[in-house]
Amino acid sequence: MGAGHVHRLYVRGDSPVHRLPPQCKLVAHLAFVLAVVATPRERVWAFAAYAALLAAVAAAARIPYGTVLRRTMIEVPFVAFALAMPFVATGPETAVLGLHLSVEGLWGAWNILAKGTLGVVASVLLAATTEPRLLLHGIERLRMPQPITQIAAFMLRYGDVVAAELGRMRTARAARGFEPRGLRDARVLARSLGALFLRSYERGERVHLAMVSRGYDGRMPVPYDVAASPRQWSAAAALPLAAALIALAAWTVP
């Protein structure tokens, strides 16, 4: 990835959360999500406590709540699916605003909405406080095989390049008077996709040859030291430990 390539989801800052090593945040994120998933759906108060924890993290990271809310809209399709569950699920029913809804469906919808939203918000905060290239370095520090992280790095770096190439092709078609009107234009669009694939493949060949000529031997250099100290691991553990205590209380408190 070229220097200065910062993903649009990253919010520049110098907060304590930004400064934590990426592997610490990845482990904390995973442990928090596991605690949320393990919580019984009937313990509504526990999910409110999880939301308060994430709000505290957002405040510590100086990420505006409005930004988090807007990015959470990515889960809208899943919300639509969850809202349909009370109408299609079977079992005992209850009246809500004059509608007869399935009790099991209501609990299922709540389970998806609560746990899904908390997971999305946690992921939004992770992406907003950690540059993607550092996330990949953190994954390598967690012993992820390098071929996987290298593929992810190239996808991240060249995804925008391929998208820009597709945009130029669309502009070229429009400049020649082409406007897709139906299935009869599918052949033109298929040819465009084929041309895009060939251009991307050739670009990959050129990039690979350029890397080999510069000494690439299958391993990418790591220009950043992302080692974590015990103090940093302890700071990152605050969120999952608090979540684990809430999950434990949810299972033990009647």
Side-chain angles (χ1 to χ4, degrees), residues 16-247:
V17 181
H18 283 80
R19 291 193 294 268
L20 282 176
Q23 62 269 30
C24 297
K25 287 185 276 190
L26 284 168
V27 173
H29 175 271
L30 177 61
F32 174 81
V33 171
L34 290 177
V36 171
V37 171
T39 302
R41 62 187 184 182
E42 294 80 8
R43 302 295 189 264
V44 178
W45 61 267
F47 297 104
Y50 292 138
L53 288 178
L54 292 179
V57 172
R62 304 185 187 95
I63 304 297
Y65 293 135
T67 299
V68 177
L69 181 61
R70 286 194 302 272
R71 295 181 177 182
T72 306
M73 293 299 104
I74 193 175
E75 68 166 346
V76 167
F78 300 97
V79 171
F81 169 75
L83 293 179
M85 291 185 64
F87 298 94
V88 299
T90 59
E93 295 184 348
T94 185
V96 178
L97 300 177
L99 299 174
H100 293 281
L101 305 178
S102 167
V103 175
E104 184 64 25
L106 286 171
W107 278 117
W110 161 253
N111 192 47
I112 293 176
L113 288 175
K115 296 181 179 180
T117 301
L118 289 170
V120 169
V121 172
S123 299
V124 166
L125 292 175
L126 177 64
T129 58
T130 315
E131 293 184 52
R133 55 196 173 92
L134 293 181
L135 273 177
L136 293 175
H137 292 320
I139 292 174
E140 286 189 355
R141 296 286 299 192
L142 295 174
R143 299 293 187 265
M144 179 67 71
Q146 270 211 355
I148 296 178
T149 58
Q150 289 184 33
I151 291 173
F154 285 121
M155 290 176 59
L156 179 67
R157 174 63 182 88
Y158 288 98
D160 292 339
V161 176
V162 175
E165 185 76 24
L166 181 61
R168 289 192 293 269
M169 295 173 66
R170 184 185 301 112
T171 302
R173 290 196 305 269
R176 290 163 175 79
F178 174 78
E179 293 184 5
R181 295 184 177 86
L183 292 177
R184 60 191 180 89
D185 296 318
R187 180 179 298 179
V188 176
L189 298 177
R191 289 176 178 174
S192 298
L193 291 177
L196 178 65
F197 172 78
L198 291 177
R199 293 182 185 183
S200 301
Y201 184 84
E202 291 172 354
R203 187 191 301 275
E205 290 289 325
R206 293 194 299 270
V207 170
H208 179 258
L209 291 175
M211 292 172 60
V212 171
S213 67
R214 289 164 175 79
Y216 175 71
D217 60 354
R219 294 175 298 175
M220 296 292 288
V222 181
Y224 306 98
D225 182 13
V226 291
S229 65
R231 182 177 180 179
Q232 290 171 321
W233 277 110
S234 299
L239 175 65
L241 284 178
L245 291 176
I246 294 173

